[in-house]
Amino acid sequence: MVKAFPKGFFWGGAIAANQAEGAYNEGGRGLVQTDVTTGGTVNSPRYTTYIDKDGKPGKAGGMGHHARIPEGAKYAVLDTEYYPNHKAVDFYHRYKEDIALFAEMGYSIFRLSISWARIFPNGDDVEPNQEGLDFYRSVFEECRKYNIEPLVSIWHFDTPLALEENYGGWNNRKLVGFYVRYCEVIFNEYKDLVKYWLTFNEINNTTMFLDMMGNKGTDADYQAGYQQLHHQFLASARAVQIGHRINPDFKFGNMICGITFYPATCDPADILANQHKWESGIYYCGDVQVKGKYGTYAKRLWKEHNVELDIREGDLEDLANGTVDMYTFSYYMSNNVTTHDTDDKVAGNFSTGARNPYLTYSDWGWAHDPRGLQYYLEKIYDRYEVPLMVVENGLGAFDTVEEDGSIHDDYRIDYHRAHIKAMADAIDNGVDLIAYTTWGCIDIVSAGTGEMRKRYGFIYVDMDDEGNGTMNRSRKDSFYWYQKVLATNGQSALEE
Ligand code: P53
C-alpha cells in the first residue's frame, strides 16, 4: 500500500505569544516572566532581572519559575539589559502580513497562543481588557479569511507576572480560579471563531527537567513541582468541562514536551531507568489529562522525593470529568538514559544524557531523530487511543542570507522531510494523527536561549540577537518546499 496522509489532515505552523508578538507594554498588556528575562546563548543562561529589597539591581540564573530571585526582591526591567521578548518579531503589528504568508504556504491550521496578560493584565483583574480581546478577535478573523483553523494555546509559559509576585504563581491553588475565569472569558468571546484549544504548553517541563541538564532537583523542588502540576491539572480539567458546556464542538488537547527516551545500553538497570523516565517525564501528565487519573507509578514517584500532595475533596472527580479530547505534543529530539558513568555526554541547551552514536546533533546539541518521532507516536497512540497532533517540530539553526537575499536552508528541509516520512510510517502503523504544525513557521525568539539566530522559520525575519534589523520578512527555500508539501497533502515529501 502506498503511504499517504489522510484526507483533511491539518498542515501548518506554530508560534507562541511571548516569543512572537512583542509590543510587551502596548494594548494594556501586563508583564510576564519573559519580559524580565535577558537573552542567553547555547553556553550561557538567560537571566531573570530584579531589584532587591535594598533597591539594588541584580540578575538570577535561570528562567521562568526556575529562576530564584532573593527574598524580598521584585522582578524588574533594568535599563542596562536587553530583553529580546519585548519586541520579539512584532507579530502584534504584523500579523496580517504574517498570516497572509502562512496562507500562501497553504496552511489549513495555525497554532498560536493567547497572552493571558493581554486579557487579564494582572491575572486577578475584575474585568478583562477589551483591547486584548479585540486583538485576538482580529487575529482569528484574519485566519478565518484564509480558511485557516486557529489552534490556540491558552498558556504558553506566560502566567501574568503579578500572579507570580502576589500569589506565588502555580504554588497557590487560587491560580486555578484565575485561570478558569480567563478561560471562560476567551471561550465565550471566541466560541464561533476557535474550535481547537490546548490548555497548558509543555506542562510536563516543570518536573521532567528536574533531573536533566545537570540538574539535581531537591525534595523541595519536587514538592513544589508536583503541587504546581496538580493545580494545573485541575485548572485544565475544569476548563475542559466549562469549554464543552460553552460549545460542545470544542476540542481540547493537552500539550506535552515529547522527548523520546532510550536506554543507552541493554543493561536491565538501564531498561528500567528508562521506563521510569517515561513515567516521570512523559506519562505522568498525559495519564492525568487523557485517562483522568494519576498513573499506577505516581505514588512511588511522590515517595521517592518525600512529596505530600495537597489533593482536596472533589479534585479527583474533576480530573476524571475533565479529560482532553486529543493528545498533542512537541517533538524535537530523543535522549539516552543510563545508570552508567559516561564521558561521552551531549552538552547543549535542554539536551543531556549519553551521546547516541547513531544520531547527529544540531548546533544546539539536539539529536536529529525522526525515527524517535515514529516511536513516540506509536507508543503514545497505543497507550491512549485518542487523536494525536504534532504541534511543534523543527530545527533551530544558523541561516545565511545570500547576496541576492535568498536563504538556502536545505538542512531544515531535510529535517522536516524526514519527520514527515516518520509520521506517514506511524499512520501506516495505525496511528490516528490529525495535524502537523511546525515550530516557528516564522523566525521568533528562542524560548531556551532568547536568541534570534537560533532560527526555526520557513520565513526569515531580519533581526539579530541585540534587536538590530528591519524586521522585514522573506521566504527561505524551505518556504517553497513546504508550500509544495501542503499542496500535495504531504505526498511530495514522501516521494523525494
Ligand atoms: P527553543 C525544551 C525542550 C524542548 C522544547 O525551543 C522546549 C523546551 C523549552 O524551551 O520548548 C518548546 O526556542 C517550546 C517553545 C520553544 C521550542 O520548544 O529553546 O514549546 O516555546 O520555542 C523550541 O529552541
Side-chain angles (χ1 to χ4, degrees), residues 15-16 18-19 46 63 111 156-157 201-202 205 208-209 213 255 257-259 330-333 349-351 364 366 392 394-396 439-440 444-451 454 456:
I15 61 167
N18 74 90
Q19 292 170 257
R46 303 186 72 175
M63 48 187 282
R111 175 175 176 232
H156 196 116
F157 307 148
N201 184 66
E202 293 191 340
N205 284 4
M208 180 172 68
F209 286 116
M213 310 184 292
M255 201 297 201
C257 178
I259 294 177
S330 63
Y331 179 81
Y332 294 89
M333 62 187 142
N349 79 303
F350 292 114
S351 61
W364 278 263
W366 295 20
E392 284 184 32
L395 176 69
W439 182 244
I444 56 180
V445 176
S446 155
T449 67
E451 291 166 298
K454 188 182 188 190
Y456 286 89

Side-chain angles (χ1 to χ4, degrees), residues 303-336:
K303 210 161 62 199
E304 234 166 59
H305 300 290
N306 297 308
V307 171
E308 299 275 348
L309 270 198
D310 175 18
I311 300 182
R312 306 214 181 145
E313 211 187 312
D315 286 4
L316 297 180
E317 286 73 21
D318 263 337
L319 299 184
N321 294 331
T323 54
V324 293
D325 307 298
M326 54 196 192
Y327 181 108
T328 91
F329 65 102
S330 63
Y331 179 81
Y332 294 89
M333 62 187 142
S334 57
N335 262 226
N336 277 359

Side-chain angles (χ1 to χ4, degrees), residues 49-59 69-78 165:
T49 56
Y50 59 83
I51 306 263
D52 74 10
K53 61 179 183 338
D54 305 318
K56 257 193 28 223
K59 37 188 187 176
I69 65 170
E71 265 310 288
K74 287 230 165 266
Y75 294 111
V77 173
L78 307 177
E165 289 210 309

